[in-house]
Amino acid sequence: MTAPLRRAHFRIWLVLAAVMYAIFIAGLFARRTTTPPNPGLHWEQYR
Amino acid sequence: MSVTYQAVGWNRTKKIYDGILAAGLAVYLGLFVGVGSLVHPNATAETLLIRGLGTAALLLLHVVLCIGPLCRLDRRFLPLLYNRRHLGVTMFMLALAHGIFSIFQFHALGNLNPLVSLLVSNTRYGSLADFPFQSLGFFALLILFLMAATSHDFWLHNLTAPVWKRLHMLVYVAYALLIAHVSLGALQSETSPLLAAMLGVGLTVVTSLHLAAANIERKKDAYVAACTIDNIPEKRACVVSCGGERVAIFKYDGKISAISNVCQHQNGPLGEGKIIDGCVTCPWHGYQYLPGTGASPPPFTEKVATYRTRIYGNQVLIDPKPLPPGTQVEPSVIQDAQPV
């Protein structure tokens, strides 16, 4: 009775594994460098 | 008339389970905010809370997703499954708090409705680094809400188990959306490799466990539970209907063999006969077959189909696919039964 559900589960995870790793790796490669610090700017003085 | 409704059937075990969960979360959030304020002294309390709640929800989602396959791989994890839905609802509450704080911090102070702002303020769908990742989290939260709202037995009974189960398999979609939400969101501006490493490890653990458990289930799928060993009298059979055919499963001399229930002579019910002189004997006219091969002893030439069998604990499983008549099948030995 649960066999179709188990087959669906296996197929879902095969697809998800490929999709999620692709997104994760693409996200890692797309990482932007953070905004460089501006030495002339001192937030403290605006508080 | 109305359906009886009981919010939570509390008992001691559930209270302990939830107590450990609440204490664990309090410690995690306390440590996250405390250590975070030391490491990032410029970060506001709201920012630390948003990150703490988000990471706690994601961590808990990983735990929730690991419990199912762990239980299928090893029954010792079953106690974790007992109250899993409380973990799921707690995870949703954490994610909801993360979402509300985020919407308030990033979208509440403009001219647009905060929810509209969430969906339209960033439309750079073509850029990976600037992808509108908040929308992904929002849609994942909608799925988690649907699941949390229907997690009660009331919905399980009223939606029926197959519909409810399919609905709750949407958690896999929510998980994929959240992986994308973090990969294209927090990971983009995070300078420490810790978050990326933890996300990679979590993704690998969850994926591996699900595929391993599904693979084991797939191997078992060929076999179906037919009866228990105790159901079969010695040197007699239990007849089961399997794959549209009737199969006679015989127990003899500490072994189990399965053959077609239909005698080749006049379609007599072999399963109602017994084993005499080591041969299955048809109760109608005494035609005989060897239980291991389904073939009549020489010089006779009648043959019936045989079936592969397995024993798990006290359960007899058979492969519903019949083998060609007369095919030798090694009987399953009861003493060698695999533990459940």
Side-chain angles (χ1 to χ4, degrees), chain B residues 211-280:
Chain B
L211 286 176
N215 196 37
I216 285 178
E217 297 286 348
R218 217 159 58 101
K219 283 180 185 167
K220 271 191 199 169
D221 269 352
Y223 286 77
V224 293
C227 60
T228 61
I229 294 171
D230 300 337
N231 285 148
I232 315 173
E234 179 63 19
K235 295 198 187 297
R236 287 187 179 270
C238 170
V239 180
V240 296
S241 184
C242 195
E245 295 290 337
R246 288 170 76 84
V247 181
I249 305 171
F250 281 91
K251 179 166 82 175
Y252 58 99
D253 306 330
K255 292 181 281 188
I256 296 284
S257 286
I259 61 171
S260 165
N261 189 49
V262 183
C263 179
Q264 286 298 290
H265 176 221
Q266 284 187 356
N267 294 346
L270 292 176
E272 290 176 24
K274 58 181 177 180
I275 292 185
I276 300 172
D277 299 331
C279 290
V280 174

Side-chain angles (χ1 to χ4, degrees), chain A residues 6 9 13 21 27 30-32, chain B residues 129 187-188 190 204 210 217:
Chain A
R6 287 174 180 169
H9 176 260
W13 275 98
Y21 273 110
R31 286 176 81 174
R32 57 177 177 264
Chain B
L187 209 58
Q188 295 301 312
E190 179 63 52
T204 304
H210 274 272
E217 297 286 348

Side-chain angles (χ1 to χ4, degrees), chain B residues 80-103:
Chain B
L80 291 176
L81 190 65
Y82 174 67
N83 210 21
R84 182 176 57 171
R85 66 180 73 182
H86 283 203
L87 287 184
V89 173
T90 307
M91 183 267 298
F92 163 70
M93 300 302 283
L94 289 168
L96 181 66
H98 166 81
I100 289 172
F101 275 111
S102 301
I103 287 176

Side-chain angles (χ1 to χ4, degrees), chain B residues 167-231:
Chain B
L167 180 71
H168 280 243
M169 281 172 85
L170 282 175
V171 70
Y172 304 145
V173 178
Y175 180 62
L177 285 170
L178 289 174
I179 290 293
H181 173 71
V182 179
S183 298
L184 304 177
L187 209 58
Q188 295 301 312
S189 54
E190 179 63 52
T191 49
S192 161
L194 189 65
L195 181 65
M198 285 179 68
L199 191 65
V201 169
L203 179 58
T204 304
V205 168
V206 169
T207 309
S208 310
L209 282 175
H210 274 272
L211 286 176
N215 196 37
I216 285 178
E217 297 286 348
R218 217 159 58 101
K219 283 180 185 167
K220 271 191 199 169
D221 269 352
Y223 286 77
V224 293
C227 60
T228 61
I229 294 171
D230 300 337
N231 285 148

